[in-house]
Amino acid sequence: MEELPTTMRAWAVTTPGPIDGEHSPIAFIKKPVPTPARGEVLVKVLTCGVCHTDLHVTEGDLPVHRQNVTPGHEIVGKVVACGPETSRFKLGERIGIPWFRHACGVCKFCRSGHENLCPHSVYTGWDHDGGYAEYVTVPEGFAYRIPARFSSLEAAPLLCAGIIGYRAFERANVPAGGRLGLYGFGGSAHITAQIAIAQGMEVHVFTRGKDAQKFALQLGCASAQGAYDPSPVPLDSSIIFAPVGDMVLPALASLVPGGTLALAGIHMSDIPAMNYQRAIFHEKTLTSVESNTRRDGEEFLTLADRLAIHPAVSEYPLEKADEALRTVKPGDIKGACVLRVSED
Ligand SMILES: [Zn+2]
Ligand SMILES: [Zn+2]
């Protein structure tokens, strides 16, 4: 077993606020390598995806849950130490660490298969230090095995963008062979589009970025247009990935009677006042997505493997995490940004 260092390089959210050319809310620091507690393993980070939620944590859209938290919740790494009372993973095994870090296991939500709604749940890179660092701990029951098909760079965005997109896809109730609208086309949408197309659905994309529109068409989407454009065809279901409440009314207007709109983000700007007759009558369903269950995660990773999903990634070194966040901020990038922390 390799000798473990006592300190590591990591990013910490020191001054939450908007990230721009001048201000960076995160600082690159040295801190102690964490010790795995009971039921936890210590992981040497190989890669960590940069998710839009990291912006909500660093910019202060979400309240501070832990001072100087290390962001990052799309982590791929190798188990390098096992804490007391662990048995699931062997040293050296490659595992994935997601956003959903722990739930109580005894509340009515946990007991009824809705652990994503547990009021006591905690999240990686918000309540607990995440993967913009060389080492991280995770409760072994909340990690995933990574299918061998995926490189560690490709696997990172599967762990939040992919899993949350899959839950949104499930919540959107797309009928077999139906038409699905995707609003915003970043890390999550480009994976969800592949899942839907591989299952025979017709996907229509709404996003302002011309490059993102072109990328959507390359992936086999049926159409791509501006974020607020009317749909070229009536849609059975839609998912809004962009954190923009202004998209809700145009998205509802493009749905067929009985259609479903799922809002996939953890944070969204205010939704404008809606006219009942125009927006929601005709039995349209408006719903949201909160995190995911571990079952969603296992189902999604199995499906992504079977359907040979190809996440598109841009690689950044760990020390350029602030630059990666600036790239993710405007949205509509080609796929996902991933930090390379150490070599496989
Ligand atoms: Zn619970
Ligand atoms: Zn995320």
Side-chain angles (χ1 to χ4, degrees):
M1 196 182 119
E2 68 185 282
E3 193 73 21
L4 288 174
T6 52
T7 60
M8 64 175 184
R9 299 178 307 152
W11 288 89
V13 181
T14 46
T15 47
I19 186 166
D20 52 35
E22 283 119 62
H23 179 69
S24 173
I26 56 174
F28 201 35
I29 59 165
K30 270 212 154 36
K31 63 198 273 186
V33 171
T35 307
R38 188 165 60 90
E40 292 183 352
V41 292
L42 177 68
V43 170
K44 182 178 183 184
V45 180
L46 298 168
T47 61
C48 182
V50 177
C51 171
H52 212 96
T53 299
D54 300 340
L55 278 167
H56 298 316
V57 170
T58 53
E59 296 203 306
D61 297 324
L62 294 175
V64 174
H65 277 191
R66 179 184 173 88
Q67 288 294 332
N68 299 320
V69 71
T70 295
H73 58 269
E74 297 181 317
I75 307 163
V76 178
K78 279 189 175 157
V79 176
V80 289
C82 297
E85 294 175 43
T86 52
S87 58
R88 187 172 172 209
F89 299 115
K90 288 193 215 46
L91 290 179
E93 223 175 317
R94 187 176 71 150
I95 64 172
I97 303 176
W99 171 245
F100 184 58
R101 186 177 200 274
H102 197 255
C104 79
V106 292
C107 73
K108 70 169 182 169
F109 298 105
C110 283
R111 284 184 287 111
S112 62
H114 304 285
E115 62 183 3
N116 60 309
L117 302 178
C118 173
H120 310 292
S121 52
V122 293
Y123 303 99
T124 313
W126 188 24
D127 298 285
H128 204 278
D129 287 335
Y132 290 21
E134 291 175 301
Y135 293 88
V136 66
T137 60
V138 65
E140 63 172 4
F142 288 78
Y144 298 100
R145 288 195 167 83
I146 305 283
R149 161 190 305 280
F150 301 110
S151 71
S152 297
L153 279 172
E154 288 174 322
L158 299 178
L159 290 159
C160 176
I163 294 173
I164 301 289
Y166 178 69
R167 183 161 183 97
F169 177 68
E170 294 285 290
R171 300 282 296 158
N173 238 334
V174 198
R179 288 169 172 160
L180 171 68
L182 301 178
Y183 290 78
F185 202 73
S188 205
H190 95 283
I191 296 172
T192 310
Q194 294 179 55
I195 293 274
I197 291 166
Q199 296 181 91
M201 289 151 191
E202 189 178 301
V203 176
H204 298 267
V205 169
F206 304 82
T207 184
R208 65 188 162 186
K210 291 283 171 216
D211 287 350
Q213 290 176 8
K214 216 161 88 189
F215 181 42
L217 295 174
Q218 283 165 5
L219 287 177
C221 296
S223 79
Q225 45 267 305
Y228 300 94
D229 289 349
S231 177
V233 291
L235 300 168
D236 297 299
S237 306
S238 286
I239 302 167
I240 299 185
F241 288 103
V244 183
D246 285 341
M247 288 181 175
V248 171
L249 297 183
L252 283 170
S254 290
L255 286 182
V256 297
T260 301
L261 173 61
L263 312 180
I266 188 171
H267 175 82
M268 185 178 241
S269 56
D270 285 348
I271 300 171
M274 61 172 79
N275 175 279
Y276 173 70
Q277 296 295 333
R278 279 201 302 272
I280 204 91
F281 189 60
H282 303 303
E283 301 197 346
K284 294 182 183 179
T285 300
L286 177 59
T287 186
S288 69
V289 175
E290 180 172 1
S291 188
N292 62 278
T293 64
R294 283 173 280 176
R295 183 179 166 160
D296 296 325
E298 297 293 354
E299 278 179 10
F300 167 71
L301 289 170
T302 304
L303 195 61
D305 189 19
R306 182 146 50 84
L307 300 178
I309 297 306
H310 268 293
V313 296
S314 308
E315 180 178 342
Y316 287 77
L318 174 63
E319 50 273 22
K320 291 204 171 150
D322 50 348
E323 197 179 309
L325 280 171
R326 285 191 187 97
T327 309
V328 168
K329 186 169 177 174
D332 299 325
I333 46 162
K334 189 174 169 181
C337 290
V338 179
L339 304 177
R340 166 59 81 177
V341 181
S342 63
E343 294 304 319
D344 284 49

